[in-house]
Structures are given as C-alpha cells and as structure tokens.
Amino acid sequence: LCLASWLPQKQSCPTCRKAIAGIPVRCFMVDNAISDLLGVESAASPSSKQERKRKQAHWEGVQGQVTQDWALALKRRQERALETASRHRALLAGTAAPPNAHNSHA
C-alpha cells in the first residue's frame, strides 16, 4: 500500500484505521536516509530506485491537496468536538434539553 495513494482519499491510518491526529508532514531526514541507502549500488536495483522516484514524484503532486483536505477534516472534527462539548456543558448546567428528548404533553 502506497501512502501517496491512500492519503488523498482517507484521513486515517491505513493500518489501524485510527482517525487522523494531524496534517501529514514529510520527514526529510527519512527521505534523505532512504535516498542515501538507495545511492549505494548494492542496496537497491535500478528498478527499485525508479519506483522510489516515481512514488516520490506522485506524492509531491498530491501533497498540497492532501494537506488542504486533512486540514479541513481536522477543522471539522474540532468543530464537532466543540459543539458536543457545548451541548454536554449545557446539559450539565441544566440549561438544555437532552438530545432526542420528547416533549411530554400533560
């Protein structure tokens, strides 16, 4: 599974499916380490190096949209959490009816 294909479509971990915790950020230290390893002649075949470059180029092409999508998803999750917290606070204070409460007719 290539993360560059997964991330534009989902805002979750491809392994455990846990919801996102933040916007994905490229780690250049890891990229550089991989590039260094692939630079060693015995470490990777030419096809492996080409595949890495292809995937890296793909990610660079979708990264901007992924970042925007994830930022929007995070903002929506935060807004929903704040709304839920407000409702709970109002319920605890006794100033709001519980959700799905039916009006009783006497």
Side-chain angles (χ1 to χ4, degrees):
L1 175 69
C2 179
L3 287 176
S5 297
W6 176 269
L7 294 176
Q9 300 170 25
K10 310 282 184 179
Q11 283 86 36
S12 63
C13 171
T15 302
C16 70
R17 305 297 198 262
K18 186 174 179 179
I20 59 172
I23 297 170
V25 177
R26 187 172 191 165
C27 181
F28 289 103
M29 283 182 31
V30 172
D31 275 354
N32 292 339
I34 292 170
S35 294
D36 289 347
L37 287 173
L38 292 178
V40 177
E41 291 303 319
S42 62
S45 67
S47 62
S48 294
K49 291 177 186 180
Q50 281 182 325
E51 180 65 9
R52 165 104 172 114
K53 285 181 182 181
R54 185 192 66 75
K55 287 181 178 181
Q56 194 168 12
H58 175 72
W59 172 248
E60 288 169 359
V62 299
Q63 182 178 13
Q65 187 62 46
V66 168
T67 301
Q68 289 176 2
D69 292 347
W70 280 50
L72 182 59
L74 280 172
K75 183 179 178 184
R76 287 179 183 153
R77 282 181 54 208
Q78 182 183 31
E79 288 170 353
R80 284 192 305 266
L82 290 172
E83 288 170 6
T84 299
S86 284
R87 283 194 305 272
H88 286 274
R89 199 174 310 119
L91 286 171
L92 289 172
T95 59
N100 299 325
H102 300 300
N103 292 337
S104 57
H105 298 290

